[in-house]
Amino acid sequence: MAQTILMPALSPTMTEGTLAKWLVSAGDKIESGQVIAEIETDKATMEVEAVDEGVLAEILVPEGTENVAVNTPIAVLKEEGDDDAAVAEAAAGAGAPAPAAKAEEVEAEGDDAGEAEAAAAPAPKTSAKPAADGEGGRIKASPLARRIASEAGLDLSGVEGTGPHGRIVKADVEAAIASGAKPVEAPKAPGRSDAAPAAEVPKATAAPAQQTGGGYSVAAISAAASAQTRDLVDKLGMPYEAEANNGMRKTIARRLLDAKQTVPHFYLTVDCVIDRLLAVRKELNERAGDGVKISVNDFVVRASALSLRKVPAANAAWTDEAVLRFKDVDVSVAVAIDGGLITPIIRKADTKGLAAISSEMRDLATRARDGKLKPEEYQGGTFSVSNLGMYGIREFSAIINPPQSAILAAGAAEQRPVVKDGALAIATVMTVTLSCDHRVVDGAVGAQFLAAFKKLIEDPLSMLL
């Protein structure tokens, strides 16, 4: 019996993804275990293997489709003995491809069939005759095209579609935005005067999506702020380009907003003299030869891991029922990549030497930038390290990455005047700041951690014992 292939959940937290690429075509024979597609999550690009064998009879979701919900039918697999009627029945039973979009954006089955092909179509032009589906003149557009247009403030009624039956697809919207099509004019609030001062910032008027105890939901406040920003920018006539937020950027925004809204942060800062560390690092790299290059950040990761072993109260997470004390020390290390940030993890970092940490971190960072990390390689750390020293940042305070309870922010190593034995001297100093979740890490615990860290980083040979 013909069966549908579903959008897989590639991690425990995945709810949707982008069907980046089909590696097979309709009519191809598929073997069990064969890689058939590439799926982009908010953090990485992963390969999808076929579970069963058969012939790929029909592709329901074209490559390039974003926000495809987990368990959405993406293709139909024809098994031995199946006829065209069985394939048609399976496709009909799958219904329309269901990207995770608003209900009113979901179109009739088959309308997405030309989305991929439309990428090669001539550039669309704005038109006074929008594509309509015959139901009250409703504009025909794919869910992806609607979402991109909404984020860019583009009125679809002025876009001519090049998809099947004149449907507006992604390429049409992108071309319209690139051509400078006029964005939707924000509606004026009742009583607002056109003569209002240009620099006036409008007050929040959006109704909350949820209101409890007289308070506004975070989502409602965020939506109102976004609307105000676009309204003010358009009102002032400020030129801009609208770059659609990708899945990673949206995830980062949501998680960091949640962290600052729900986690009671406090910050502790110390200065570490690292001249001895730099000398030890130079000697180790000279002895190691080719293939090994230990960085200052490798020392920071190891010192953090050993400090967590000495002060286990900082290696924990908050729940309403209990504080979770982690038995392993898994250090997440922030890595900047195109479009966002990811935190690959050095597992059991307290048990690994500097050379092992350096080699593993270099491999993880390379694959992170290529989008090739597995979910278990960036999910589940117990503590984080963020280092902006290579950008010349002297010091900063990082936002905690829940459910972790602390993150260490390391600044640039620079020469500063210090007092040694009662006399003024010059030393290489690195400032580090520990952001703590006060529900778990009290001030005394945070101070104990930094004291242990400072002792290790200023006496690097103790890290080699």
Side-chain angles (χ1 to χ4, degrees):
M1 178 179 179
Q3 58 181 295
T4 54
I5 299 174
L6 304 180
M7 182 71 168
L10 301 177
S11 73
T13 58
M14 177 179 170
T15 59
E16 61 183 44
T18 297
L19 207 163
K21 185 177 182 180
W22 280 106
L23 303 178
V24 292
S25 303
D28 288 353
K29 182 174 176 56
I30 307 299
E31 301 291 339
S32 178
Q34 178 181 348
V35 177
I36 60 173
E38 292 181 354
I39 303 294
E40 291 180 3
T41 67
D42 59 336
K43 298 290 187 181
T45 300
M46 305 182 70
E47 295 177 338
V48 176
E49 297 180 354
V51 177
D52 300 303
E53 61 181 25
V55 174
L56 191 68
E58 184 176 350
I59 291 177
L60 301 176
V61 177
E63 63 182 35
T65 303
E66 300 178 346
N67 302 329
V68 182
V70 168
N71 292 328
T72 296
I74 59 175
V76 177
L77 186 68
K78 180 180 179 181
E79 298 180 336
E80 186 176 355
D82 291 333
D83 54 17
D84 292 341
V87 172
E89 182 180 353
K102 296 179 181 179
E104 64 267 25
E105 294 178 351
V106 179
E107 304 292 340
E109 181 182 359
D111 281 346
D112 277 330
E115 183 79 45
E117 291 81 353
K125 55 182 180 291
T126 57
S127 169
K129 297 177 66 178
D133 62 4
E135 297 178 5
R138 182 172 178 234
I139 296 173
K140 289 183 61 178
S142 72
L144 178 58
R146 288 181 184 277
R147 184 173 63 80
I148 295 175
S150 175
E151 291 172 347
L154 178 68
D155 186 357
L156 287 178
S157 65
V159 177
E160 182 176 334
T162 61
H165 309 293
R167 189 175 193 231
I168 298 172
V169 294
K170 174 184 176 183
D172 302 329
V173 175
E174 290 178 338
I177 294 173
S179 69
K182 186 177 180 181
V184 178
E185 183 176 343
K188 297 176 182 178
R192 172 181 279 182
S193 170
D194 289 335
E200 179 184 357
V201 179
K203 296 181 179 180
T205 57
Q210 181 180 355
Q211 191 171 0
T212 57
Y216 294 96
S217 71
V218 173
I221 294 173
S222 178
S226 297
Q228 291 171 32
T229 298
R230 183 164 315 258
D231 182 45
L232 180 60
V233 167
D234 289 339
K235 184 176 180 180
L236 296 177
M238 301 165 62
Y240 63 89
E241 288 185 2
E243 180 180 348
N245 295 319
N246 59 23
M248 177 179 292
R249 180 54 58 188
K250 290 179 181 178
T251 299
I252 291 172
R254 183 177 65 252
R255 287 180 58 83
L256 295 187
L257 180 62
D258 288 345
K260 290 296 286 185
Q261 291 281 346
T262 63
V263 176
H265 286 61
F266 77 96
Y267 310 94
L268 301 171
T269 301
V270 295
D271 291 332
C272 302
V273 177
I274 63 168
D275 291 285
R276 293 178 66 186
L277 182 151
L278 295 177
V280 170
R281 170 179 175 262
K282 180 180 179 181
E283 184 175 352
L284 288 175
N285 284 334
E286 288 175 348
R287 291 190 179 189
D290 296 336
V292 175
K293 187 176 181 181
I294 298 171
S295 68
V296 171
N297 201 55
D298 297 329
F299 280 92
V300 172
V301 171
R302 176 148 173 80
S304 297
L306 294 176
S307 299
L308 289 171
R309 184 56 67 199
K310 292 182 178 182
V311 188
N315 193 42
W318 170 264
T319 72
D320 290 335
E321 296 77 24
V323 173
L324 309 181
R325 307 288 185 190
F326 297 115
K327 295 182 179 180
D328 292 335
V329 177
D330 300 328
V331 179
S332 304
V333 183
V335 174
I337 61 176
D338 289 341
L341 183 75
I342 194 169
T343 52
I345 302 167
I346 304 293
R347 301 284 180 184
K348 298 184 178 180
D350 57 317
T351 67
K352 297 176 179 177
L354 289 166
I357 290 174
S358 176
S359 176
E360 187 173 341
M361 193 62 238
R362 187 163 54 251
D363 172 64
L364 288 169
T366 298
R367 290 192 291 115
R369 295 186 180 101
D370 292 338
K372 299 299 183 182
L373 288 182
K374 300 175 183 177
E376 60 268 22
E377 292 178 315
Y378 59 82
Q379 295 179 349
T382 65
F383 182 89
S384 287
V385 167
S386 181
N387 192 334
L388 293 179
M390 66 286 293
Y391 299 106
I393 302 301
R394 177 168 178 161
E395 63 179 279
F396 66 105
S397 300
I399 300 176
I400 294 169
N401 182 23
Q404 299 173 13
S405 295
I407 180 172
L408 187 73
E414 58 183 12
Q415 290 193 324
R416 304 180 199 169
V418 298
V419 176
K420 288 185 177 181
D421 301 324
L424 190 64
I426 299 296
T428 306
V429 180
M430 178 179 67
T431 299
V432 297
T433 299
L434 183 69
S435 304
C436 306
D437 180 347
H438 214 323
R439 298 171 301 178
V440 180
V441 181
D442 295 326
V445 173
Q448 291 166 16
F449 171 88
L450 282 181
F453 178 87
K454 179 179 172 70
K455 184 176 180 180
L456 287 165
I457 215 76
E458 292 186 342
D459 184 14
L461 290 178
S462 62
M463 282 191 260
L464 307 181
L465 299 175

